[in-house]
Amino acid sequence: MPHLKMPRKPQPLWKEWDRKAQKCGVRHTVYSVNGDEYTGEWLDNKKDGKGTQVWKKTGAIYDGDWKRGNRSGFGTFSLPDPVTGEYVKAYSGGWKDDMKDGFGTYFYSETEYYEGEWSKDKRSGWGRMYYEDGGISEGEWLNDKLDGQGMFRLANENRYEGSWKNGMKHGPGKFVYLDKGQLYEAVWVENIAKCGKMSDFGREGAPAAPVYPIPKIHLLDPEAVLKDARATLPIEED
C-alpha cells in the first residue's frame, strides 16, 4: 500500500517572526530604544555570557560576563575622559547582580584607587585604599569604611595600627611616629585617644627626634591604672 505524505500545514507568519526575534546565542549588536547597544551572548532573551554594553547617555562601556541580564562574573567598566574622550578604566573585577562584588579595583582618579573585596557595590572585606596625598588605608572594611583591624599610613610613614569602627579609630591601637622615634599605645573612642602611654621607639635613627627622651614613668602599677581607665570607656569587648 503506497505511503501518502501529507503536506505540512503552513505556520502563520507571526510565529516565524517571533522565532527570529528570540535572542539566544551570539548576536550582532542589538540597539535599545534609548540608544544603548549590546554586542554578545544571549539566553532566553537576556544577556548571558560574554558581552559588551555601551550606554548612550554617559558613554560608559562594560566588557565582561553577564548572567540573566545583569553584570555577573568578571568585567571591566570604563568611562570616557571629559577632555580627551578616551576611555579610562573605572573598575575592573568581580560583579554580581549588576553590582561590584568579590575582588576588584576601583579608580577614583589616576593616583587614588581601592583594591580589595566588595559586597553589593561597597568596599567590604579586606582591602587597601591609596590616596592622592600618599596615604594608605589597609585592613578590614564594612559598608565603605574601615571596620575591624586595620592600618592607616601617612605619606611620611607615620602610621596607626589597631581597631576601627565605622571608619574611625575605636578600641586598642598604637600610633607609630617614625619621624620622631616615638610610639603611642592607647585606647581610642571615635577617633579620640582616651588613655595611653608614649614611649621612645628607635629615636636614635629618627630624622626629627626630640632633643630629650621621654622620662620614665614611676607609677607603682601603671598597668593597673590603664586597666581601670579602660574599664570606664564604652568599648565593646570581642
Side-chain angles (χ1 to χ4, degrees):
M1 183 176 182
H3 177 72
L4 297 179
K5 185 176 180 181
M6 300 298 294
R8 179 180 298 178
K9 186 177 179 180
Q11 295 287 335
L13 288 177
W14 68 266
K15 286 192 175 183
E16 178 65 14
W17 295 338
D18 184 66
R19 184 187 66 80
K20 291 182 178 181
Q22 299 299 310
K23 294 183 286 292
C24 189
V26 180
R27 287 270 178 160
H28 293 297
T29 303
V30 176
Y31 296 88
S32 303
V33 292
N34 62 0
D36 296 346
E37 54 186 82
Y38 172 80
T39 305
E41 297 177 304
W42 296 78
L43 180 64
D44 296 332
N45 274 334
K46 292 183 178 180
K47 302 162 193 169
D48 200 294
K50 301 289 185 181
T52 302
Q53 169 93 13
V54 180
W55 287 266
K56 181 180 179 181
K57 185 176 181 180
T58 62
I61 183 171
Y62 169 82
D63 181 55
D65 298 324
W66 296 78
K67 188 173 182 179
R68 299 184 183 278
N70 293 321
R71 291 169 288 185
S72 289
F74 181 85
T76 300
F77 181 76
S78 304
L79 291 166
D81 185 278
V83 178
T84 65
E86 297 181 356
Y87 277 102
V88 178
K89 186 187 297 182
Y91 174 78
S92 180
W95 297 80
K96 184 178 180 180
D97 296 331
D98 235 19
M99 295 181 287
K100 295 182 285 292
D101 195 277
F103 190 89
T105 303
Y106 187 90
F107 296 89
Y108 297 89
S109 67
E110 291 184 0
T111 56
E112 186 167 295
Y113 62 96
Y114 168 85
E115 60 179 10
E117 296 177 301
W118 297 79
S119 179
K120 296 182 179 179
D121 248 359
K122 294 185 178 181
R123 294 170 290 185
S124 292
W126 180 90
R128 184 186 293 118
M129 180 74 196
Y130 297 86
Y131 301 97
E132 291 184 349
D133 61 3
I136 298 175
S137 291
E138 180 178 358
E140 297 173 301
W141 296 74
L142 181 65
N143 293 329
D144 264 346
K145 297 179 180 179
L146 277 173
D147 199 294
Q149 293 299 306
M151 178 271 295
F152 174 64
R153 188 179 74 191
L154 298 168
N156 64 0
E157 299 295 330
N158 291 347
R159 68 193 66 190
Y160 167 82
E161 300 175 2
S163 300
W164 297 79
K165 186 175 182 180
N166 199 30
M168 294 182 288
K169 296 183 284 290
H170 193 85
K174 57 185 179 181
F175 204 106
V176 184
Y177 297 90
L178 293 179
D179 57 341
K180 298 179 180 180
Q182 295 178 334
L183 172 66
Y184 183 54
E185 298 175 278
V187 174
W188 273 261
V189 176
E190 296 181 349
N191 258 356
I192 299 175
K194 294 295 184 177
C195 65
K197 63 178 180 180
M198 182 78 81
S199 59
D200 287 322
F201 179 76
R203 67 186 305 273
E204 295 80 8
V211 177
Y212 302 104
I214 297 174
K216 299 294 184 180
I217 298 176
H218 296 287
L219 289 174
L220 181 62
D221 192 351
E223 293 300 326
V225 175
L226 289 175
K227 183 178 179 181
D228 292 340
R230 292 190 184 101
T232 64
L233 300 177
I235 300 297
E236 298 178 0
E237 296 292 339
D238 293 335

